[in-house]
Amino acid sequence: MEITIVLFIAGHISAGDPSLISAQRELQEELGVKLPKDAFEKIFVFLQECVTNDGKFINNEFNDVYLVTILHPIPLEAFTLQKEEVSAVKYVPYEEYRNFLAKEDPAYVPYDVNGEYGKLFDIIRQRCQVNTEARSLSLQKQLQRYSPVTLEAKLTELSEADQKALGLIVKAAKIMDDIFYEQVWNSNPALRDWLKDHANASELDKLKWEYFMINKSPWSSLDENEAFLSTVDSAVKLLPGATKAIAGWQGLEYRAAFPVTKPPGANFYPPDMDKMEFTLWLNGLTEEQKHAATGFFSVIKRRSEANLDASDHLASSTKKLPDSNSDLYSIPYSEIYRPFLTKASELLHKAGDLVSSPSLKKLLHSKAEAFLSNEYYESDIAWMDLDSKLDITIGPYETYEDEIFGYKATFETFIGIRDDKATADLKLFGDNLKLLEDNLPLDSVYKSTDVSAAPIRVIQLIYNSGDVKGPQTVAYNLPNDEKIVKDRGTSMVMLKNVQEAKFEHILKPIAEITISKEQRGLVDFDSFFTHTICHECCHGIGPHTITLPDGQTSTVRKELQEVHSAMEEAKADIVGLWALKFLITKGLLSKSMVESMYVSFLAGCFRSIRFGLTEAHGKGQALQFNYLYEKGAFVFHKDSTFSVDFAKIEGAVESLSHEILTIQGKGDKNGATLLLNKYCTITGPLKTALENLERVKVPVDISPTFPLAEALMN
């Protein structure tokens, strides 16, 4: 019998202690049960206000409520009771306990079950009363939003040694997946392994595993990170030493917990850390320590948890903690992920010894060294200089998972075969970045003076891993490190076969439903592909390193913090559309593209917004769509389709480009927040379009498989 138990231990938090530490301590002191942090699921916080002891005691306090899910009851004789605090232990069915509280039974500490505390019983009831058929149907519907595709490319131009190296690189890419699972949440790897091992137990278990593999977490990317699993679906762990030993009992078995609400700081920060605590800690650091704490490649931990949790298999990789009065400290990726990065480094060094391309050889060896040194500058420069048929991107880059500050980078991999003809065709975009920067709809004081040409590589993707979950990446512009952007600019990689798959499976069906009959034929792949190129180019122009009103130098990322990603995606999109028109005006692109690029962009708005408004691309796209609709550039018709007003679209695009670029140039977080709050919403016409797409079951995105890469590992 598997049960959810509420361990009713209580105690006040010691000064400076997180509530989880206090819960662990009180459970051990009062009941003699020692559990690691992944056994505790914080489900909500409520304010308790009551008067007891005949009016002599007034109690006003916030209570953090944790659940522990175990498979079997703990034998009563296994408990070690604290005599001063606990007289006895007994099991009570949750419905019976609720009734005691509702009747205000004097034997029980009073809680208002009709108030916030009543949520506890609702949650337990939902966990215990599972409708397998309904859950299976729900997961099937969620899976149907992804269209399965197979992505491959020809390896005929690769030598035998290059193909052997490719197999080693794919193995290293698998390790990037392992690290990313850790970065999302501490119990995420255990959940993954459990679901995989039990995928064949039932149809429901198979569906859980399939949808987990798409999202790489228990939170659904397309549903604003709503949990599609709960702790009762999670991994079972055995702790023989959690209580005193009892003859015939193997020990306590519990479910590794995870929160229903996706932690905004992922596994980069303590889950109970807020911005104020981080800022206060940061103010007491040296400049070098501040750089490490706010940099891409470090994790923030608590000293009070460092030696407390035996379940943390990464804890042994950390060095002795430096002396400090603060509970917070930072650990570089090279230490916290050393067990993974050591293996990945060895594989990349071996692959580097095999490949024939000098630039690829340099990239692989320098990236292998960066994994262990935590210094990525040289390896990112080597990535920018890559000139090889076999195209590799591997390491920590994007910061979308860090929704607190947008500081921390996640590991990812993209492996592809370069399309030489398509790469040559796109040279004009990278060559004209300086021209675009000089003519941006932005006051000159905010323009960058050191923009350089950006190389663009087009590849046929054969494998990806790490931070590639839910909606698939079609292109990327890297690196994100502002120092490299300032020194060398950026490079772009276009995943052409991914874009072709999305156009055929997603964008064309969307256009059939949402675009007016008169303009539907203007939606074409060339416009979709070309705007994606300009989107990536425009990540490399506009404000990056900025001067604040007080004269200090900063970056847009650090000033905008958690709203940076959405604003940056909106900037790249809308300025990319402006850039296309500018290049057409200069005679560098064909005038025949003018109407098709705007209508294809309109259709693409619905594609991205369907990713959800918690995702940076979806959020940025909602901002653009609603702004352009408000300005009359997009028109909603009685038949629930949309069209572009070609007389208004150019001015509206330039106006929004100016507004976003200016906010970035000023480092104006308040302005960015106001803009997102105003326009990042599902308005009436937009809701109608999304409902129509849902009704006819147009897929939201693709779910790729990579049989070629998998075969190379064997």
Side-chain angles (χ1 to χ4, degrees), residues 262-336:
K262 188 176 186 291
N267 202 21
F268 298 122
Y269 308 93
D272 57 349
M273 186 204 79
D274 58 24
K275 285 188 174 183
M276 181 180 294
E277 182 185 9
F278 183 86
T279 303
L280 288 172
W281 169 61
L282 203 65
N283 291 339
L285 301 180
T286 65
E287 287 303 313
E288 183 179 355
Q289 290 171 330
K290 286 180 181 178
H291 180 74
T294 61
F296 292 104
F297 316 123
S298 66
V299 173
I300 310 302
K301 292 282 191 180
R302 288 197 182 280
R303 297 169 191 279
S304 53
E305 297 179 5
N307 300 312
L308 187 65
D309 198 346
S311 71
D312 188 351
H313 62 282
L314 295 179
S316 61
S317 68
T318 61
K319 296 178 180 177
K320 183 181 182 297
L321 302 182
D323 295 331
S324 172
N325 294 325
S326 173
D327 193 31
L328 299 178
Y329 68 100
S330 67
I331 310 176
Y333 283 2
S334 56
E335 291 182 29
I336 192 71

Side-chain angles (χ1 to χ4, degrees), residues 363-665:
L363 168 64
L364 294 173
H365 285 305
S366 62
K367 190 66 71 174
E369 291 166 3
F371 282 165
L372 302 184
S373 69
N374 219 50
E375 297 293 335
Y376 284 89
Y377 186 93
E378 293 301 326
S379 68
D380 282 340
I381 295 296
W383 177 82
M384 295 182 70
D385 293 337
L386 183 61
D387 182 13
S388 167
K389 191 69 178 178
L390 180 57
D391 197 285
I392 308 297
T393 301
I394 186 168
Y397 286 107
E398 303 294 3
T399 61
Y400 301 124
E401 285 295 309
D402 179 359
E403 296 175 15
I404 297 181
F405 294 111
Y407 292 159
K408 306 305 175 186
T410 49
F411 284 81
E412 63 185 10
T413 311
F414 295 92
I415 302 173
I417 305 300
R418 189 176 65 191
D419 185 326
D420 292 322
K421 181 181 182 305
T423 297
D425 290 344
L426 300 183
K427 191 173 184 296
L428 80 90
F429 293 97
D431 289 347
N432 285 285
L433 277 191
K434 185 67 168 64
L435 178 65
L436 291 172
E437 178 74 38
D438 291 342
N439 289 276
L440 283 174
L442 175 68
D443 293 348
S444 296
V445 67
Y446 300 123
K447 292 181 181 178
S448 299
T449 57
D450 47 11
V451 172
S452 55
I456 303 175
R457 311 195 294 261
V458 181
I459 68 172
Q460 302 291 341
L461 185 70
I462 59 173
Y463 193 72
N464 65 21
S465 69
D467 190 3
V468 191
K469 61 184 179 62
Q472 293 291 298
T473 301
V474 297
Y476 49 92
N477 181 293
L478 296 172
N480 289 320
D481 187 331
E482 288 85 358
K483 185 178 187 304
I484 299 176
V485 173
K486 184 177 181 180
D487 293 346
R488 286 286 305 272
T490 60
S491 290
M492 284 156 272
V493 178
M494 318 297 296
L495 313 181
K496 191 171 184 181
N497 55 346
V498 176
Q499 295 189 43
E500 289 169 339
K502 291 204 180 197
F503 183 79
E504 288 298 322
H505 292 268
I506 314 298
L507 200 63
K508 283 175 67 175
I510 284 176
E512 287 296 317
I513 302 299
T514 62
I515 305 301
S516 67
K517 186 177 180 181
E518 294 75 17
Q519 294 188 359
R520 202 171 293 157
L522 293 171
V523 178
D524 62 28
F525 177 73
D526 287 343
S527 296
F528 171 63
F529 184 58
T530 308
H531 176 258
T532 305
I533 297 165
C534 271
H535 170 107
E536 297 304 329
C537 283
C538 289
H539 278 306
I541 62 176
H544 287 279
T545 299
I546 60 176
T547 302
L548 301 177
D550 62 5
Q552 291 197 31
T553 300
S554 186
T555 66
V556 177
R557 182 185 305 277
K558 286 189 177 179
E559 295 307 311
L560 298 193
Q561 296 183 343
E562 76 275 10
V563 298
H564 171 264
S565 291
M567 289 295 288
E568 178 61 23
E569 292 305 326
K571 184 263 298 211
D573 248 357
I574 201 68
V575 176
L577 199 55
W578 168 86
L580 279 177
K581 183 62 170 65
F582 177 83
L583 293 173
I584 291 170
T585 302
K586 292 295 181 182
L588 296 171
L589 290 175
S590 171
K591 290 182 179 180
S592 64
M593 187 182 288
V594 172
E595 293 187 347
S596 63
M597 74 180 190
Y598 287 130
V599 180
S600 296
F601 177 82
L602 171 57
C605 286
F606 303 113
R607 182 183 73 86
S608 297
I609 291 170
R610 296 176 83 204
F611 297 162
L613 298 191
T614 58
E615 195 270 346
H617 299 80
K619 191 179 294 185
Q621 196 73 72
L623 159 60
Q624 297 166 80
F625 176 89
N626 288 321
Y627 184 98
L628 297 176
Y629 179 76
E630 179 184 85
K631 302 300 181 185
F634 293 158
V635 180
F636 185 57
H637 301 289
K638 291 181 180 179
D639 63 353
S640 297
T641 63
F642 292 81
S643 64
V644 175
D645 186 330
F646 297 115
K648 296 179 179 179
I649 185 71
E650 184 177 347
V653 166
E654 183 166 329
S655 174
L656 180 56
S657 297
H658 176 268
E659 187 163 354
I660 292 175
L661 287 165
T662 302
I663 285 172
Q664 290 187 321

